[in-house]
Amino acid sequence: MSTVIEQPVEARLVAAAPRMPSIPAKLHYDRSDPFAVRMTFPAPATLEGVEVCWTFARDLLLAGLEGPEGHGDVRVRPYGYDRTVLEFHAPEGTAVVHVHSKDIRRFLGATSDLVPVGLEHLQLDLDHDLAELMRDA
């Protein structure tokens, strides 16, 4: 069984102009980091012209489907009946994207099949990680 899930999604960048261009993005989940998801935007879609990857809690994405969540760099909330808004806050500015909620639900369903919500801690080898920290100290 694969330990990584990647799912392309279409994100609509919310800008000052009325037109909202679509940008390809990718949701990523790795069983070795069971509490986190990543959302990656390709270089042409970013101001810096380099690929940008945001890492945030899987629980944040799950909760944000039902109501506003997040107080830090990443915030998630429902928008209408079929979209979810993700806000990414950085010193350079804020990016706001809309993603189809069904795509996020499908992604989260696949991650839950791989690592059920609430059982993420079973994927961690704390003894090994602690031994590595002590070895480096």
Side-chain angles (χ1 to χ4, degrees):
M1 174 184 238
S2 176
T3 63
V4 174
I5 296 168
E6 285 192 347
Q7 178 180 314
V9 293
E10 178 183 295
R12 290 204 166 270
L13 182 62
V14 178
R19 184 173 171 272
M20 292 174 31
S22 291
I23 53 175
K26 189 179 293 181
L27 289 168
H28 179 95
Y29 182 80
D30 187 334
R31 184 182 357 207
S32 68
D33 191 5
F35 292 100
V37 296
R38 294 196 315 260
M39 189 166 192
T40 305
F41 298 94
T46 69
L47 293 175
E48 298 82 19
V50 296
E51 183 177 273
V52 172
C53 182
W54 287 83
T55 303
F56 50 97
R58 176 170 69 161
D59 287 347
L60 174 67
L61 190 57
L62 182 62
L65 287 170
E66 304 305 321
E69 289 292 330
H71 301 287
D73 294 342
V74 180
R75 301 172 193 175
V76 184
R77 69 179 184 277
Y79 182 77
Y81 71 95
D82 70 340
R83 297 219 183 239
T84 299
V85 174
L86 292 98
E87 295 180 18
F88 301 98
H89 297 261
E92 300 81 19
T94 300
V96 180
V97 297
H98 290 186
V99 178
H100 286 286
S101 299
K102 66 178 169 62
D103 292 338
I104 293 174
R105 282 189 175 91
R106 185 174 64 234
F107 172 74
L108 289 171
T111 69
S112 186
D113 289 345
L114 186 61
V115 178
V117 173
L119 299 179
E120 295 92 349
H121 65 283
L122 298 176
Q123 302 301 312
L124 303 176
D125 185 352
L126 296 178
D127 290 335
H128 176 265
D129 293 343
L130 184 57
E132 287 293 311
L133 283 172
M134 298 304 288
R135 184 179 55 91
D136 292 341

